[in-house]
Amino acid sequence: MGTTGRAQGQGEAVQDSSEANGQSVYGRSFVSRAFAGLRLTFTSGAAGAAVAALVVGVILERAPVFLSGGGVLILLVLIGFVAGRRPSGPAEAPVTRTALARIEDLRATSGESADVPVTFRLTVAPEPEDGRPAYRVKIDEHINLVDIPAYRPRGIAVVEYRPDEPWEVRIVTRPTPEWSRRAEEAEIDSAPESTLVENPGPSEGTWCVVVLVAFLAGAALVVLLFRGELFTREDDAAPSPKQPSVTSSASASVSVSLTFTTSTTISGHSSSLLVLGRMRETVTELAERAGASDVTAITVQERRMEIRGDSARPPGETFHVQMLPYELFPALVREARTTLGVRTPKGWRIDVTPDPGTGPGAGPRIRVTVTGEEGTAHLDADATARIVDRRPVEKR
């Protein structure tokens, strides 16, 4: 009676110790997996930020940003290299237990080698001292073609499993004689489907998504930090479709007096001052640059405009730049090129000056000059762009 009680007490103590050890190992395994996941996420985010810093540094032409990104990448590579070369310490071997399992079902797929992949559905029956009831598990094993006939539904197999991770089950293809004898004599009842255990951790596909998201998040963080400079540079670099891009300009004061000459040239093969609205915008820019709106002359060519002025002159010898009908100037150029006898016009010019022949207050005179192989022709118009005189090419 006493011996039985002692044996029972020792069995309960062994079971409690086994459960405690299993819980301790499971806790350490969970903490290790969590730490590894956090480390992988942080590394992916740092790599994304470093790559983005390299790109931003090149775009903004900022050496510190570029060097920071390159330094972080080099550091990550060195850490990975050292971690891979460093000999691992005495890692604690996972605790495994040997048990018997009932083969509920198995399914083999075709293979090109001697080892065939087989999917097993098992009922694992841990030993009584493990303190764990029977449970179901689904595993994939590679079984040699010669050994496949030894495995059949409702048969008994010897397996190894981990108490801390019960879904980690491996079939022992060469068990010891004792376990082989026990497998031949044992009878195991099927565990219910509700006892099926699976790996609760994230799959490889989930880890790939986590790495990608962390990489993109790190890159997006760097771009957000420099978003002001990035988008400002892009906006400044892109020329407005409505504004001519100025390639050269000159502003000079002839003397200490109040005379000025300001010009601008627009760039681009398809750019022309004959585009609707381009002349008025350009003359407005030139007037703002010169700081005066009353001028003595305006000269317009295909891609160049020049204004001249002298504020010392009386009002009758100047005119305001905004009083001219620039929107009608393209029609005057077209009229001069097609009706004045210049068959192959090579160039044109518009000269706007005060009209000296009609007295003060009469408004400026607009002269369109067209040149070609046939010679030079002129067309004069008043301040409203109404044609008042034509001087075609003289016949030879």
Side-chain angles (χ1 to χ4, degrees), residues 227-297:
R227 65 186 184 278
E229 298 180 49
L230 287 172
F231 295 116
T232 301
R233 285 178 65 92
E234 291 179 359
D235 293 342
D236 292 343
S240 172
K242 296 182 179 180
Q243 298 289 341
S245 57
V246 178
T247 57
S248 63
S249 61
S251 178
S253 178
V254 177
S255 63
V256 188
S257 64
L258 302 177
T259 60
F260 61 87
T261 300
T262 305
S263 65
T264 185
T265 302
I266 62 175
S267 63
H269 296 290
S270 61
S271 300
S272 173
L273 286 171
L274 293 178
V275 175
L276 184 63
R278 184 69 57 80
M279 288 190 192
R280 187 174 296 278
E281 293 176 2
T282 305
V283 78
T284 301
E285 292 179 1
L286 292 177
E288 292 177 355
R289 188 183 306 170
S293 298
D294 293 323
V295 298
T296 57

Side-chain angles (χ1 to χ4, degrees), residues 207-229:
W207 280 122
C208 291
V209 173
V210 171
V211 169
L212 178 60
V213 171
F215 185 90
L216 295 178
L221 179 62
V222 174
V223 174
L224 288 176
L225 290 176
F226 294 94
R227 65 186 184 278
E229 298 180 49

